[in-house]
Amino acid sequence: AQKITQTQPGMFVQEKEAVTLDCTYDTSDPSYGLFWYKQPSSGEMIFLIYQGSYDQQNATEGRYSLNFQKARKSANLVISASQLGDSAMYFCAMREATYTGANSKLTFGKGITLSVRP
Amino acid sequence: SQTIHQWPATLVQPVGSPLSLECTVEGTSNPNLYWYRQAAGRGLQLLFYSVGIGQISSEVPQNLSASRPQDRQFILSSKKLLLSDSGFYLCAWVPQGRGTGTEAFFGQGTRLTVV
């Protein structure tokens, strides 16, 4: 079964506006972590933000915030005041605590392409 | 500080030729190491992971193999490449035993084209 689902087609946003990138996940583990990564055209993976399953508050990192709705199993990334440099592919990922062996295995979604228009 | 090196950055290889991609981590010890492949429309697929020297786990049966001859060295290999092996390969590391809250740190990636 797919653990991380990112189904939005390519997203477009006007510069300086906010945009939400959707992510839903599937796990029966009560302890898990959710991550968002940015991948520009160069291919490097840039860590953006982390949300723990027990965290009471939504995570924020500068212009990035994570809209965590645990009951719905969604972890949407919100980018405020979009910039041209935000154009990239964005991946949602999850780590489950009880995974045996490599306890820090990350499972990724298919990604969403974001294009920021000037 | 910790750094991860992955090479080469790009590679064009003929079908049936061997492959060796290398990844090394500096500034840490006993990391968990990972090889991911990114194909168009499929996100990042975990290929192999390693929790220690000589310990390799495979996620997907395929034409590739991995080895960890030293603590901070992770090698992805193939004896005979297939066209379907083309893709973007990423090496990553995570500190051991840090629970769910530690992000993975990625290398710069290798873009492999099998022709």
Side-chain angles (χ1 to χ4, degrees):
Chain A
Q2 196 169 4
K3 293 277 190 177
I4 298 287
T5 303
Q6 297 179 264
T7 59
Q8 290 169 302
M11 294 286 289
F12 294 87
V13 64
Q14 204 67 32
E15 194 178 8
K16 299 182 184 178
E17 292 185 350
V19 63
T20 298
L21 305 182
D22 295 342
C23 172
T24 58
Y25 60 91
D26 181 29
T27 181
S28 57
D29 194 327
S31 178
Y32 52 90
L34 297 158
F35 302 78
W36 277 91
Y37 281 83
K38 172 185 177 182
Q39 187 183 43
S41 57
S42 61
E44 63 180 314
M45 295 290 287
I46 302 169
F47 165 71
L48 296 178
I49 196 166
Y50 161 78
Q51 179 83 45
S53 59
Y54 293 120
D55 292 344
Q56 296 296 313
Q57 308 265 354
N58 285 342
T60 60
E61 287 287 347
R63 295 186 298 110
Y64 304 108
S65 61
L66 202 151
N67 184 1
F68 181 45
Q69 298 191 39
K70 195 169 181 176
R72 293 185 178 184
K73 293 187 176 178
S74 74
N76 299 339
L77 177 70
V78 180
I79 305 175
S80 63
S82 296
Q83 302 172 356
L84 295 178
D86 293 334
S87 294
M89 181 164 279
Y90 289 80
F91 290 95
C92 180
M94 178 176 66
R95 175 179 297 132
E96 297 163 286
T98 57
Y99 183 83
T100 58
N103 61 353
S104 43
K105 169 187 173 184
L106 269 178
T107 302
F108 285 83
K110 291 185 177 182
I112 302 168
T113 300
L114 174 67
S115 299
V116 180
R117 292 169 168 155
Chain B
S1 63
Q2 302 92 351
T3 55
I4 178 168
H5 302 281
Q6 187 181 342
W7 67 92
T10 60
L11 193 59
V12 179
Q13 291 283 96
V15 168
S17 64
L19 173 74
S20 181
L21 302 181
E22 189 163 341
C23 171
T24 61
V25 180
E26 295 178 358
T28 187
S29 59
N30 200 27
N32 284 345
L33 294 170
Y34 305 84
W35 279 110
Y36 285 89
R37 177 170 61 197
Q38 184 178 16
R42 295 191 64 181
L44 271 70
Q45 180 185 33
L46 179 63
L47 302 176
F48 300 95
Y49 65 87
S50 172
V51 299
I53 295 174
Q55 300 179 59
I56 307 295
S57 295
S58 174
E59 285 290 293
V60 181
Q62 56 208 315
N63 187 42
L64 302 168
S65 62
S67 62
R68 185 170 176 174
Q70 300 179 41
D71 181 45
R72 290 170 289 176
Q73 184 184 29
F74 204 23
I75 297 171
L76 183 69
S77 304
S78 173
K79 292 183 179 178
K80 288 185 178 181
L81 283 169
L82 306 172
L83 288 173
S84 57
D85 292 324
S86 294
F88 189 56
Y89 289 81
L90 285 156
C91 180
W93 77 275
V94 178
Q96 283 242 18
R98 294 278 188 92
T100 63
T102 306
E103 73 269 26
F105 301 92
F106 285 84
Q108 296 297 305
T110 296
R111 201 165 299 279
L112 171 66
T113 304
V114 182
V115 296

